[in-house]
Amino acid sequence: MNLKKKILVGLLAAVGPLAWANSALAANATGTVTARLYSAITISKTTDLDFGVMSDGGAGGSMTVNGDNTTTAGGATTSTGGTPAAAEFAVGGANNAAYLVDTTASSANLTSGANTMAITYTAYSFNDDNTYATAYAAGTPPSLSGTGADTLRVGGTVTVGAGQATGTYTGTVSVTVTYQ
């Protein structure tokens, strides 16, 4: 055997086992892949948010419409009439699916001409005791029923400034729902 062949054979003998060593140390496993396809989630308004009629003694305060349509007055602001009501939305989609609620695209202020009144929104889900008394919490999203339906209410709190101008204040509440 000539010198070139001896070197080639020696090189293959030394390097060859290294090329196959990696495959001897390899392992393989498989996992399951799951894809759930839900029907599109839907939402439609059935009732507008209405604070009713309020009066203020000039010192300012606040008025809250809760999910169960009750009101809570603060400061010098009082409820004096009308029919306060939380906004109500019909939500539809996949049976028993949890969903998230977002009201951040809503008006931050109600307006009456050039005058404004600050507002914050609170979403309420229908609870096991058939009331809307508990506010939706981000850590415990509501779920659609076994038939893919739910009712969501949105209340709010307006801040009445000291010497707030009288008028009818309006704005919009925008509710976005997404599957969790």
Side-chain angles (χ1 to χ4, degrees):
M1 194 184 289
N2 69 27
L3 183 58
K4 285 184 183 180
K5 287 184 180 179
K6 285 183 184 181
I7 292 174
L8 184 59
V9 169
L11 188 57
L12 288 175
V15 176
L18 295 177
W20 292 284
N22 284 341
S23 65
L25 298 176
N28 187 27
T30 59
T32 301
V33 176
T34 303
R36 290 183 186 89
L37 179 61
Y38 283 167
S39 57
I41 194 166
T42 62
I43 185 167
S44 59
K45 178 201 63 138
T46 55
T47 304
D48 287 319
L49 174 57
D50 187 349
F51 284 87
V53 180
M54 301 176 284
S55 65
D56 181 59
S62 64
M63 180 64 66
T64 299
V65 174
N66 302 298
D68 59 0
N69 295 327
T70 60
T71 58
T72 305
T77 304
T78 58
S79 178
T80 59
T83 308
E88 190 168 279
F89 297 87
V91 182
N95 298 353
N96 301 308
Y99 64 95
L100 303 173
V101 179
D102 182 13
T103 60
T104 57
S106 301
S107 301
N109 289 299
L110 302 180
T111 59
S112 177
N115 301 306
T116 62
M117 187 182 306
I119 183 169
T120 58
Y121 301 96
T122 305
Y124 295 84
S125 59
F126 195 68
N127 298 317
D128 291 336
D129 61 355
N130 297 330
T131 70
Y132 291 94
T134 304
Y136 154 78
T140 56
S143 292
L144 298 169
S145 69
T147 60
D150 194 22
T151 301
L152 178 72
R153 287 188 179 171
V154 177
T157 300
V158 291
T159 302
V160 180
Q164 182 83 43
T166 60
T168 300
Y169 289 77
T170 60
T172 58
V173 57
S174 177
V175 181
T176 302
V177 291
T178 55
Y179 287 119
Q180 181 183 19

